[in-house]
Amino acid sequence: MRASDSDNQPYVARVEKMEGDGRGSVRVQVRWYYRPEESKGGRRQFHGAKELFLSDHFDLQSAHTIEGKCVVHSFKNYTRLDNVGPEDFFCRFEYKAATGSFTPDRVAVYCKCEMPYNPDDLMVQCDACKHWFHPSCVAMTIEQAKKLDHFVCSDCFKENGSKRLSNAYATSPNFEPKAEPKRQRR
């Protein structure tokens, strides 16, 4: 929906109901999505660029403020998209605007840094333990991670030794890397 200030991004809302006012005008009841920066606490490192929060904030708006259609996917479905278009967004939280609280209030965390998954960030999966890691958290560049065929984290490498993992990249400079976007796991 069109923002009142043309310098701002359009607002995103879910149309709940449409109704005529008897004078030829159409009004829509909407439930607003908030962007992370519009919420209490603001944008965090793990929020994706296309992430929205479904709020408990409802309004009645003129249908003329609708600029176009977008698709707000579930988090799971968004991570399965082959191509993310400009009209694609995702939502994994509901947001209570008055209190600033979220549902769910906890999400799974990944990597040594224990951050929730951001679908915009590349992650590598350990072939042994199946845990996911950010390349920077395992001393690897994104370019190295994109070239990986296999990856073994340092814990698994220490535990299993080089015998079993002779063709894998461990988090030491003596090996050559494999990564796949975490997106492919889901």
Side-chain angles (χ1 to χ4, degrees), residues 120-182:
D120 299 331
D121 293 341
L122 178 72
M123 294 188 85
V124 293
Q125 185 180 34
C126 175
D127 291 339
C129 68
K130 303 302 183 197
H131 291 168
W132 289 94
F133 299 90
H134 298 105
S136 61
C137 294
V138 291
M140 187 186 316
T141 66
I142 289 174
E143 292 74 28
Q144 287 174 315
K146 287 180 178 179
K147 295 177 184 176
L148 290 175
D149 291 322
H150 299 283
F151 169 74
V152 177
C153 70
S154 59
D155 290 344
C156 290
F157 184 76
K158 288 175 195 170
E159 188 176 303
N160 297 312
S162 59
K163 296 176 204 159
R164 187 171 153 236
L165 308 171
S166 59
N167 294 333
Y169 175 82
T171 53
S172 77
N174 300 335
F175 287 85
E176 282 303 313
K178 156 193 169 192
E180 53 188 74
K182 180 167 183 320

Side-chain angles (χ1 to χ4, degrees), residues 10-183:
Y11 296 114
V12 179
R14 182 167 77 188
V15 175
E16 299 285 323
K17 185 169 115 179
M18 296 179 78
E19 56 189 47
D21 66 0
R23 297 183 305 238
S25 294
V26 177
R27 301 194 46 90
V28 290
Q29 181 180 8
V30 297
R31 184 174 180 185
W32 295 107
Y33 284 96
Y34 281 52
R35 288 185 170 82
E37 55 273 13
E38 298 166 337
S39 68
K40 290 184 182 176
R43 181 170 289 281
R44 305 245 173 110
Q45 180 181 347
F46 64 88
H47 291 138
K50 307 291 290 275
E51 186 159 7
L52 301 171
F53 309 141
L54 182 61
S55 78
D56 59 352
H57 178 183
F58 291 82
D59 261 331
L60 200 57
Q61 297 285 313
S62 167
H64 294 307
T65 62
I66 297 174
E67 284 193 349
K69 180 181 174 182
C70 65
V71 180
V72 181
H73 302 272
S74 70
F75 183 69
K76 185 176 185 178
N77 288 344
Y78 182 85
T79 61
R80 291 179 176 167
L81 292 176
D82 290 329
N83 295 304
V84 175
E87 72 287 346
D88 291 308
F89 295 89
F90 73 91
C91 178
R92 62 177 150 184
F93 298 108
E94 287 195 24
Y95 178 66
K96 290 187 173 44
T99 63
S101 63
F102 292 91
T103 304
D105 61 354
R106 297 171 197 253
V107 292
V109 295
Y110 299 90
C111 191
K112 294 176 178 184
C113 64
E114 296 188 345
M115 292 294 291
Y117 176 50
N118 179 342
D120 299 331
D121 293 341
L122 178 72
M123 294 188 85
V124 293
Q125 185 180 34
C126 175
D127 291 339
C129 68
K130 303 302 183 197
H131 291 168
W132 289 94
F133 299 90
H134 298 105
S136 61
C137 294
V138 291
M140 187 186 316
T141 66
I142 289 174
E143 292 74 28
Q144 287 174 315
K146 287 180 178 179
K147 295 177 184 176
L148 290 175
D149 291 322
H150 299 283
F151 169 74
V152 177
C153 70
S154 59
D155 290 344
C156 290
F157 184 76
K158 288 175 195 170
E159 188 176 303
N160 297 312
S162 59
K163 296 176 204 159
R164 187 171 153 236
L165 308 171
S166 59
N167 294 333
Y169 175 82
T171 53
S172 77
N174 300 335
F175 287 85
E176 282 303 313
K178 156 193 169 192
E180 53 188 74
K182 180 167 183 320
R183 172 170 283 180

